[in-house]
Amino acid sequence: MVNFVVCDDNKEFLKILVNIIDKEMMKNKISYKCHEFTEYNTSFFNLVKQKMTSRIYILDIEVNLVSGIDVARKIREKDFDSIIIFVTSHEDLGYTILKNEFMFLSFISKFDDFEGKLRNVIRKAIDIVGQKKLMRFESNGIVYTIPYKDILYITRDSVERKSVIYTDYSIFKVNKSLLELKKLLSDQFRYSHRSCIVNLDRVVKTNFSKKEITFDNGMATDLVTVKYRKEVENR
Amino acid sequence: MIDYIMSLVIMLAYIYLMSKVINQKINYRNPKAIAAMVLAIIFLVDLDFLDGNSLLVSLIHLAVYAVVTKFIFENKWPKHLLVNFICFLLFGIIDSLIGLFMLKVLGFPFEELTSNKILGLITGVIAFFLIAIMTNIKFITNIIVNSIESLHIERSKLLLYLSAFILSLCAVIIYSTYYSVGHFITIVLMLIIVITFFGLFVMLIQEKNTLVKKEMENEMLVKNLKEYEELLEKNLISNHENKNSLLVIKGMLPKNNKKAKEYIDLLINERYADDEALLYKTSKFPIGGLQGLVYQKILSMKSKNIDFHLEMGKGISKESFKNITSSTNYDICTIVGILLDNSIEAVEKLEKRNISIYTYISGGNFNISISNNFAGDLDIEKIDEEGYSTKGKNRGFGLYIVKNVLNKNPNLNLTREINGDVFKQILTIKL
């Protein structure tokens, strides 16, 4: 069951939000429940603390002078798996970074094709809710939260004794073994070599004779051996 | 031959110990390292001219090991010498324990232990195995690694200690060899001492000058920021007055002058509203100097077309900060200034340029979170090291200064997070 947690201080707007959720959820067979709030009060935070699967938060960015960002931070202190969607009444380009910082799914303006955009985001949220979407670990005092979709492959640097995570935007060198990292990953990640784990969702071409795996962003790795062919090809 | 094998075994044991202590793999493929090892072994075996002066032999061993391991691990000198010194002490302790065991438990006579080369080789092999076992026990390596980490010494102080050590070493060499070598060698040794001392003296002065300059700059910065904040407050008032004046002028304009009216609306709705919102938000910073600093950095972000977001959490009042001392205040401004400068530098050349500053109270502490997106190869776990930078030479001192400030001030703590392509640093201030 999907749990929608909706909060907006404007009761009329709250009704509109719940109505849009109902309309969208009628179309599929997934059972759901809406938890409605008009303020970020104790019962709201008690609900945040509860163990509940498949949660989608749809929150107003500012409710009675309480910052939605503060609320999001508190939610993320408890879990990184729930989905957070913010509705705002003002455009702010700076929100882009907050979206990545707190792993929000989306910011939706209340004025610009609100219903259409919210229904799209709900569909997207339903597709991914309940799935583990990211890898979170600590290495040398730094907490890493990396979405699976951003990872291309992970190798082992035997000289520096570090694992190297290749993503779309950066290369992270961390003090974790490949085995430790593999445990944090989902089934889409497989060994292609004893010192390389690849994200099969990002692989576009595998050539065992040329020893090359190519990813959807054009990057490639030669860390591939026939021994792991089954691992890579059998999904 | 036995001498060479013994020297090789001991050197390998020492290198292995050091690789475990600094958690760095031994790079055997480095030809310079292999050459240094071979030369060192030949040199160390041939120390007969010292006539059994064990202190001098030990010091020479330490110096030679430091040079050889420098070629192997390629670490920076100050920390490298410190680690070498600790490894040498550890090695000495292990060697002494084995010697004591052979002397007291196995009953070997002392003369036999010092003169029998086979026994010397056996001692070396036992030391090697003991080190291998000891360094593979995580508990023991953790103690050693943590001890080295806690021995954080400022570079200038480390240079001072090292200069004292090197001069003592030279003095011992002269004392031991004064009557056995000719005048020429004595003069050469004296010359080496003078040159070494002069070099270290110059380095110390340079180091001291840099630090003093930086401290003066920081003090000036905080002083200027406080003056700047006073100006900002006046600016906020005059901004408001200007806005009202513009509204009055707009009302006085003839109805058909649409262009002038539109321009006034643009000024009021965009420029003044923008500046006022920013001034209002930054004025909520409860710490003296921080408002001016953040405002100035945000203006710099604006001029570089960086999208920024400033979020002040609720429940932050100036009253909560009454226990913050002026030195902590100064430290906070230093750290926040460096973190913001680094964030601006990290994004200014990227296509996507985002920075967020977010303050909040959590667990009785005040937190300032500074985030920026980033791209490229970055060994984030090394960024606190002096001189580490992706921006080229003579850079990378900012976070080293931050680390020093944090080490000295127990009320401040810095944590780091990577969230996808966002690098977040959270400065926590105990209230």
Side-chain angles (χ1 to χ4, degrees):
Chain A
M1 188 173 78
V2 178
N3 287 284
F4 285 92
V5 184
V6 193
C7 185
D8 199 300
D9 54 351
N10 184 326
K11 284 183 184 169
E12 288 306 309
F13 200 80
L14 187 65
K15 269 187 196 170
I16 294 170
L17 280 172
V18 175
N19 195 19
I20 294 170
I21 295 167
D22 289 339
K23 273 195 220 168
E24 192 53 45
M25 295 306 286
M26 292 295 181
K27 287 182 17 198
N28 56 50
K29 289 176 183 172
I30 303 164
S31 61
Y32 71 101
K33 191 180 175 187
C34 273
H35 306 266
E36 297 166 42
F37 295 90
T38 52
E39 59 182 326
Y40 295 120
N41 53 17
T42 320
S43 45
F44 175 88
F45 287 110
N46 283 340
L47 187 81
V48 170
K49 282 180 203 162
Q50 275 176 36
K51 281 192 177 174
M52 195 191 280
T53 52
S54 306
R55 242 184 294 203
I56 300 173
Y57 290 93
I58 301 176
L59 310 172
D60 191 354
I61 197 86
E62 191 148 305
V63 171
N64 297 334
L65 295 173
V66 175
S67 158
I69 304 301
D70 269 347
V71 176
R73 177 176 53 78
K74 285 176 186 165
I75 293 171
R76 285 292 178 245
E77 277 172 9
K78 302 287 166 206
D79 80 285
F80 258 84
D81 292 330
S82 58
I83 290 166
I84 303 176
I85 300 162
F86 269 114
V87 286
T88 71
S89 49
H90 50 277
E91 291 288 330
D92 188 338
L93 284 169
Y95 281 146
T96 321
I97 190 155
L98 297 176
K99 187 179 158 189
N100 293 349
E101 193 178 326
F102 293 103
M103 303 284 169
F104 303 147
L105 186 64
S106 188
F107 279 97
I108 302 171
S109 164
K110 286 183 179 178
F111 305 112
D112 182 19
D113 182 24
F114 177 70
E115 183 170 344
K117 283 186 178 168
L118 183 61
R119 287 178 77 158
N120 266 339
V121 174
I122 291 173
R123 276 196 288 274
K124 201 171 157 190
I126 294 293
D127 280 345
I128 55 172
V129 74
Q131 293 172 14
K132 203 168 158 18
K133 302 173 289 291
L134 42 86
M135 172 165 79
R136 192 168 160 83
F137 61 91
E138 193 188 321
S139 170
N140 271 7
I142 298 164
V143 179
Y144 292 81
T145 310
I146 308 172
Y148 290 155
K149 65 179 174 58
D150 297 348
I151 303 169
L152 299 164
Y153 62 104
I154 305 169
T155 62
R156 183 77 185 157
D157 183 332
S158 56
V159 175
E160 286 198 59
R161 284 184 187 159
K162 284 182 175 182
S163 289
V164 188
I165 304 168
Y166 291 81
T167 66
D168 286 312
Y169 34 81
S170 189
I171 297 166
F172 301 111
K173 290 178 182 172
V174 297
N175 274 329
K176 290 264 175 217
S177 69
L178 274 187
L179 193 66
E180 284 172 310
L181 292 178
K182 180 77 173 71
K183 284 177 188 164
L184 302 170
L185 296 164
S186 64
D187 192 45
Q188 76 205 59
F189 289 88
R190 302 279 175 87
Y191 277 100
S192 66
H193 184 276
R194 71 186 165 88
S195 57
C196 182
I197 298 167
V198 292
N199 181 356
L200 294 184
D201 283 358
R202 303 289 308 266
V203 172
V204 285
K205 201 172 140 195
T206 314
N207 191 332
F208 281 94
S209 55
K210 282 187 182 171
K211 285 193 170 185
E212 192 175 71
I213 289 183
T214 314
F215 299 93
D216 55 9
N217 71 343
M219 278 174 75
T221 177
D222 58 357
L223 287 170
V224 48
T225 51
V226 181
K227 188 184 165 190
Y228 292 95
R229 188 172 191 147
K230 276 188 184 171
E231 280 255 334
V232 176
E233 288 181 345
N234 295 349
R235 281 197 80 180
Chain B
M1 189 62 189
I2 287 175
D3 284 341
Y4 289 103
I5 296 170
M6 191 168 77
S7 190
L8 177 70
V9 168
I10 292 170
M11 183 163 286
L12 289 176
Y14 185 83
I15 293 166
Y16 183 77
L17 172 69
M18 197 164 164
S19 85
K20 287 283 180 184
V21 166
I22 58 174
N23 195 20
Q24 210 172 313
K25 203 167 181 178
I26 305 163
N27 186 4
Y28 294 107
R29 280 168 282 187
N30 182 351
K32 279 185 197 168
I34 294 167
M37 266 176 77
V38 172
L39 287 174
I41 288 165
I42 295 167
F43 174 72
L44 290 175
V45 167
D46 208 15
L47 285 178
D48 291 344
F49 69 93
L50 294 169
D51 206 23
N53 187 331
S54 57
L55 175 67
L56 189 58
V57 170
S58 298
L59 291 174
I60 291 174
H61 270 83
L62 172 59
V64 171
Y65 286 165
V67 173
V68 173
T69 48
K70 171 75 181 157
F71 281 111
I72 294 171
F73 298 111
E74 295 174 340
N75 287 326
K76 286 187 178 162
W77 269 114
K79 196 179 177 188
H80 175 74
L81 288 174
L82 185 69
V83 172
N84 252 288
F85 193 65
I86 291 166
C87 287
F88 198 77
L89 283 178
L90 279 173
F91 199 88
I93 292 167
I94 293 165
D95 200 32
S96 307
L97 287 174
I98 297 168
L100 271 175
F101 181 78
M102 291 178 106
L103 197 71
K104 296 288 175 193
V105 181
L106 301 180
F108 284 102
F110 183 75
E111 291 75 22
E112 184 81 0
L113 276 178
T114 50
S115 58
N116 191 324
K117 287 177 180 175
I118 300 284
L119 273 180
L121 181 61
I122 291 168
T123 312
V125 172
I126 294 170
F128 194 111
F129 281 112
L130 270 181
I131 287 167
I133 295 165
M134 191 183 83
T135 51
N136 279 299
I137 300 169
K138 221 171 180 178
F139 172 72
I140 296 175
T141 41
N142 279 349
I143 291 175
I144 300 169
V145 172
N146 290 340
S147 309
I148 291 174
E149 283 299 313
S150 65
L151 277 173
H152 175 81
I153 302 170
E154 280 173 45
R155 197 178 168 214
S156 56
K157 283 183 189 164
L158 186 61
L159 281 172
L160 191 69
Y161 298 148
L162 286 174
S163 63
F165 176 72
I166 290 168
L167 286 173
S168 312
L169 180 65
C170 292
V172 170
I173 293 169
I174 290 180
Y175 174 77
S176 312
T177 56
Y178 193 81
Y179 295 105
S180 56
V181 294
H183 290 301
F184 176 73
I185 293 175
T186 311
I187 290 167
V188 169
L189 287 172
M190 290 297 283
L191 196 65
I192 291 170
I193 288 181
V194 172
I195 292 170
T196 314
F197 183 77
F198 183 73
L200 288 165
F201 180 73
V202 170
M203 282 166 78
L204 272 174
I205 296 288
Q206 279 177 343
E207 189 74 14
K208 189 77 189 161
N209 279 349
T210 316
L211 282 175
V212 168
K213 203 175 144 196
K214 285 236 177 286
E215 272 172 24
M216 277 171 68
E217 278 173 3
N218 285 337
E219 273 172 28
M220 284 297 290
L221 178 76
V222 174
K223 193 174 163 249
N224 290 342
L225 283 172
K226 285 189 176 166
E227 286 171 12
Y228 186 55
E229 277 176 2
E230 285 166 18
L231 282 172
L232 282 179
E233 293 215 358
K234 284 178 190 165
N235 194 25
L236 186 60
I237 297 163
S238 75
N239 227 11
H240 193 69
E241 282 171 2
N242 289 343
K243 201 172 149 185
N244 286 339
S245 303
L246 278 170
L247 285 168
V248 172
I249 294 167
K250 190 186 164 192
M252 288 173 169
L253 283 170
K255 278 184 183 175
N256 56 357
N257 198 342
K258 280 185 179 175
K259 273 194 174 178
K261 284 186 174 180
E262 275 171 15
Y263 182 64
I264 290 172
D265 283 340
L266 187 81
L267 285 179
I268 293 170
N269 296 332
E270 287 187 10
R271 210 181 113 193
Y272 281 99
D274 222 27
D275 284 355
E276 252 183 53
L278 187 57
L279 280 167
Y280 178 70
K281 270 192 169 178
T282 50
S283 71
K284 287 185 183 174
F285 271 106
I287 298 163
L290 211 52
Q291 179 202 353
L293 179 81
V294 173
Y295 184 78
Q296 191 268 327
K297 297 292 175 197
I298 287 178
L299 288 184
S300 164
M301 288 177 209
K302 276 177 137 184
S303 72
K304 288 172 180 168
N305 288 325
I306 295 168
D307 296 327
F308 67 90
H309 184 85
L310 175 62
E311 183 82 22
M312 306 289 287
K314 306 296 173 201
I316 301 167
S317 68
K318 292 201 176 183
E319 186 59 21
S320 321
F321 292 81
K322 60 181 183 219
N323 294 331
I324 298 284
T325 60
S326 59
S327 77
T328 296
N329 190 348
Y330 164 70
D331 287 348
I332 294 167
C333 288
T334 306
I335 294 173
V336 171
I338 290 169
L339 298 185
L340 284 174
D341 280 342
N342 284 358
S343 289
I344 292 169
E345 279 202 51
V347 299
E348 66 182 333
K349 283 182 184 148
L350 301 178
E351 201 178 318
K352 185 170 120 185
R353 295 184 285 266
N354 292 315
I355 292 177
S356 92
I357 305 160
Y358 168 41
T359 62
Y360 57 93
I361 300 271
S362 171
N365 298 321
F366 178 58
N367 299 275
I368 305 171
S369 161
I370 295 167
S371 311
N372 62 273
N373 61 296
F374 69 97
D377 190 1
L378 174 70
D379 198 343
I380 226 142
E381 290 170 15
K382 280 187 181 171
I383 60 174
D384 280 337
E385 290 178 13
E386 187 184 14
Y388 177 81
S389 172
T390 54
K391 295 170 250 166
K393 280 187 173 178
N394 299 321
R395 305 297 297 271
F397 292 97
L399 289 176
Y400 179 70
I401 293 171
V402 169
K403 191 182 174 185
N404 282 345
V405 172
L406 291 169
N407 278 338
K408 284 177 192 165
N409 195 329
N411 295 317
L412 304 177
N413 185 40
L414 186 72
T415 49
R416 295 191 173 111
E417 288 179 22
I418 291 282
N419 291 335
D421 67 343
V422 174
F423 178 43
K424 178 155 81 171
Q425 305 198 74
I426 307 164
L427 177 67
T428 303
I429 302 145
K430 264 188 209 167
L431 294 178

